[in-house]
Amino acid sequence: MVGSVVSIAQDESHNTIEIEFYDKSVHRDFHFSDSFKFSMAALSESGCLFATTSRELANDQSLRGAADADEISVVSYKGFASWSANSDWTYKLPLKENPRCIATSSHGAAVITSLGNLRLFTCGGVQRHIETLPNRVVTCVARDDMLLIILEAPGTIRSSGGMKQLEYEYVLMSMDGQTRLAAGCCPVTPASEIVWTGFSEEGHPAACDSKGMLRVLHKYWTPSHASWVPVLDSRKLSRDRGKREGFWPVALSAKQFIVVTCQGKSKYPPFPKPILDELDIDVPLLNADTQVGQQEAKYLASRLFVEQQRGEAERTGSEYPGGASVLARDELEQDKLLLRLIQLACKSEKTQRAMDLAMMIELEKSFDAAVKIAVFLKQSSLAERLMRLRETKFASQVDNDSDFSDESHSEA
């Protein structure tokens, strides 16, 4: 989370914009007078992008005398770079072209307009790309070098009750407009609509619908394998609590969904500073009220996180965040969840299930632990099968290590 942007009405001539940051050590809070009366904002670590609709520009003195002034819109950027003087910039859009949604990140800014134009800028205000999208854009959001665009799918679907059902599409592209990372359908719960899109702290594109289902776009780094995975059913969480409440999404991490809880029928958070709540990620699997179901959900959430971190490192040509030692730690935590499931399977004498779980193990020492569990719980036939599987599963790794050793000796 970066912070919040609040517009406070003052009088007919201007508003006051207040920007507050969650990490006060990075940026100081500040406010400024807004004569444009901005109606939308997008905040990142590098700056804040603002836009206004034409009717709100009537009070701007510089535009009051322009022909057809009430049709002029403005986008404006305030940079936070301390080393760069005068990093702010402003553009007037052509007549009858108004911002529909905006986004910004450390790699630039994006504006999608009522004419379907996608306009991309650098943080310094250089116009570096323009293209026309289908005029069905719902929203957009950016993180680092990625821009996620959500569009309504063409046409509608009518249910048996005669109600319209919205369908959505997504486009994930680079912030310079030169690369399409992934694109396709963006599913929602039947009879619902998208109410929030964003990126997790780790970089997972995400969307939440009005029925409270949160999904992440997994394997976006391999377009043919990209899929939307449900990671939390917040409506079910409310039912389990026995409360009538809704959640206003704020941010997402690998383990938690940060929200504002809205009590009763309220759909919007209170003003000025609502309390943030943390909802644990809970993949909606079957038998979620059992120990096995809960452990499986934790394992899937952990696997999604590790795979995303690996995939993002591969996509950007960087190392796993924190390096090899952190990767080994994350893989070990993932394996520990599998070992708990193997133990439960052995206690229930479900040897095939234990074997299936063992095949998902990442580390060799974790596999040794699985064999010990089988021996301890007197599952001798399973232990024998696991040992044979261990030899096969990790044989290539042993061969590679020996080849490397031989090469090192020959070079010496």
Side-chain angles (χ1 to χ4, degrees), residues 117-130:
N117 288 330
L118 168 62
R119 299 179 179 273
L120 298 179
F121 307 83
T122 67
C123 289
V126 178
Q127 301 180 75
R128 62 179 173 186
H129 182 76
I130 181 172

Side-chain angles (χ1 to χ4, degrees), residues 71-255:
E71 295 297 331
I72 298 175
S73 292
V74 164
V75 292
S76 182
Y77 182 85
K78 284 190 173 294
F80 301 150
S82 58
W83 61 270
S84 175
N86 196 23
S87 58
D88 300 351
W89 49 266
T90 299
Y91 282 99
K92 299 175 185 177
L93 271 63
L95 295 176
K96 301 182 185 290
E97 183 177 4
N98 303 311
R100 176 168 287 179
C101 56
I102 60 176
T104 187
S105 74
S106 58
H107 282 60
V111 178
I112 302 177
T113 72
S114 56
L115 299 184
N117 288 330
L118 168 62
R119 299 179 179 273
L120 298 179
F121 307 83
T122 67
C123 289
V126 178
Q127 301 180 75
R128 62 179 173 186
H129 182 76
I130 181 172
E131 67 175 86
T132 301
L133 300 171
N135 204 11
R136 300 179 272 104
V137 174
V138 176
T139 189
C140 63
V141 64
R143 181 187 188 274
D144 295 338
D145 65 332
M146 293 187 291
L147 174 66
L148 175 65
I149 302 171
I150 303 294
L151 308 92
E152 287 185 6
T156 57
I157 297 176
R158 292 192 174 274
S159 68
S160 58
M163 298 177 61
K164 290 184 178 180
Q165 178 179 326
L166 287 174
E167 295 287 326
Y168 296 91
E169 298 173 342
Y170 78 93
V171 176
L172 184 66
M173 63 189 298
S174 60
M175 280 295 288
D176 61 7
Q178 303 305 304
T179 306
R180 288 290 196 277
L181 302 175
C185 295
C186 182
V188 293
T189 306
S192 72
E193 57 186 356
I194 289 180
V195 295
W196 177 85
T197 56
F199 286 88
S200 72
E201 294 293 325
E202 297 76 24
H204 245 142
C208 184
D209 63 36
S210 56
K211 296 291 186 181
M213 185 63 74
L214 174 67
R215 299 175 178 87
V216 297
L217 180 61
H218 195 51
K219 296 190 176 180
Y220 56 86
W221 54 91
T222 307
S224 60
H225 295 163
S227 61
W228 289 92
V229 180
V231 294
L232 177 66
D233 184 353
S234 62
R235 186 72 65 87
K236 179 180 180 298
L237 182 62
S238 295
R239 292 195 300 267
D240 292 344
R241 290 178 176 181
K243 296 181 179 180
R244 186 174 183 179
E245 58 188 5
F247 301 106
W248 178 276
V250 176
L252 175 66
S253 70
K255 295 183 178 181

